[in-house]
Amino acid sequence: MKRLLVAAISASALLAGCATKQPQLTRAEYLEVTQRTYEGKSADDVFNAAEKLLRLADGDDFRFFHDDNSMSATRSWSIYLVLAATMGTDTWTVRAKELESSVRVSAALNTSAGSVLPMPTTGGDMSAGSTPGMGGNVPGTAIYDVFWARMDYLLGKSDKWMTCEESNRRVSMGAVWGPNEALCNGFNIKDDLPSELVGKIEKRKPSETFVGR
């Protein structure tokens, strides 16, 4: 049971981004990581690209909500660990402000997670118990690194699609830090490719997709 407890808590911590030892980003650093300006693009272009990006990641599980200047997408997920389970929700918020000849875009990811574990009762039987939920903005730069790289591709600003293998390598090299599991994990993300890249990029292996700090 102790192993199940550790496994469930560890999974929650990694997926919620709580396992990082890096310092918190300053305001300037956070804005640099989470904002981009796209010349010659409109807010509609941005929202369409962001929705396509998330549908490719795991379209069946996302729910999308739109208003005039923002889009949000929520995805509930679960991981089963024999007798234990970890459950959570990812919420993406993308905002766009149109300027004279460009659009300024910001993205934010919030993740909440908790675990359900077997618990002994006074009669010697077992029942289910839950650990306190954790939540907040996902720390670090890794998740936004892959998000913006894919946005650049979908908006025609780059001819390269960042794969999860490349994202994981960049984390391992220290080029970026923090969890990238909301777009790159082998447990519950499909990670489909744009149709024009199918057959040109080798599909990732599940064992190569889970990177967290």
Side-chain angles (χ1 to χ4, degrees):
M1 185 182 302
K2 183 179 293 185
R3 290 182 180 179
L4 289 174
L5 176 63
V6 171
I9 292 175
S10 297
S12 296
L14 283 172
L15 291 169
C18 297
T20 179
K21 296 180 181 179
Q22 298 287 343
Q24 184 175 354
L25 296 173
T26 66
R27 181 178 185 277
E29 291 170 336
Y30 180 80
L31 294 179
E32 181 179 358
V33 167
T34 61
Q35 292 187 353
R36 291 292 186 275
T37 298
Y38 289 102
E39 295 288 338
K41 298 297 180 181
S42 68
D44 283 344
D45 293 332
V46 166
F47 295 140
N48 289 336
E51 182 169 339
K52 183 174 181 178
L53 188 159
L54 296 175
R55 287 192 184 279
L56 286 169
D58 197 10
D60 293 343
D61 291 330
F62 271 106
R63 296 182 62 193
F64 295 90
F65 307 89
H66 300 269
D67 61 25
D68 289 341
N69 57 12
S70 69
M71 179 199 85
S72 62
T74 62
R75 172 181 173 271
S76 297
W77 49 264
S78 58
I79 299 173
Y80 294 97
L81 304 165
V82 188
L83 298 179
T86 300
M87 295 162 287
T89 300
D90 295 335
T91 301
W92 287 89
T93 303
V94 179
R95 302 184 186 278
K97 180 179 181 180
E98 292 190 349
L99 306 176
E100 184 174 348
S101 60
S102 62
V103 58
R104 182 180 301 153
V105 187
S106 66
L109 172 62
N110 182 288
T111 291
S112 61
S115 299
V116 176
L117 305 165
M119 303 290 288
T121 66
T122 55
D125 296 324
M126 299 294 290
S127 65
S130 60
T131 62
M134 300 172 291
N137 287 339
V138 173
T141 60
I143 189 62
Y144 297 106
D145 185 54
V146 62
F147 177 83
W148 292 120
R150 293 181 176 184
M151 285 289 287
D152 288 351
Y153 176 88
L154 293 171
L155 288 168
K157 299 299 182 180
S158 169
D159 60 1
K160 184 177 180 181
W161 177 264
M162 183 180 286
T163 64
C164 285
E165 289 90 343
E166 181 179 356
S167 176
N168 291 344
R169 282 195 297 269
R170 288 175 58 78
V171 175
S172 298
M173 293 166 49
V176 292
W177 62 274
N180 65 359
E181 289 81 18
L183 292 176
C184 292
N185 78 71
F187 292 110
N188 51 35
I189 286 285
K190 293 181 178 179
D191 190 31
D192 290 332
L193 295 170
S195 58
E196 68 273 13
L197 296 180
V198 174
K200 297 181 180 180
I201 297 179
E202 184 178 356
K203 186 69 175 179
R204 65 194 173 97
K205 299 177 181 178
S207 61
E208 298 173 343
T209 62
F210 192 82
V211 172
R213 288 186 175 183

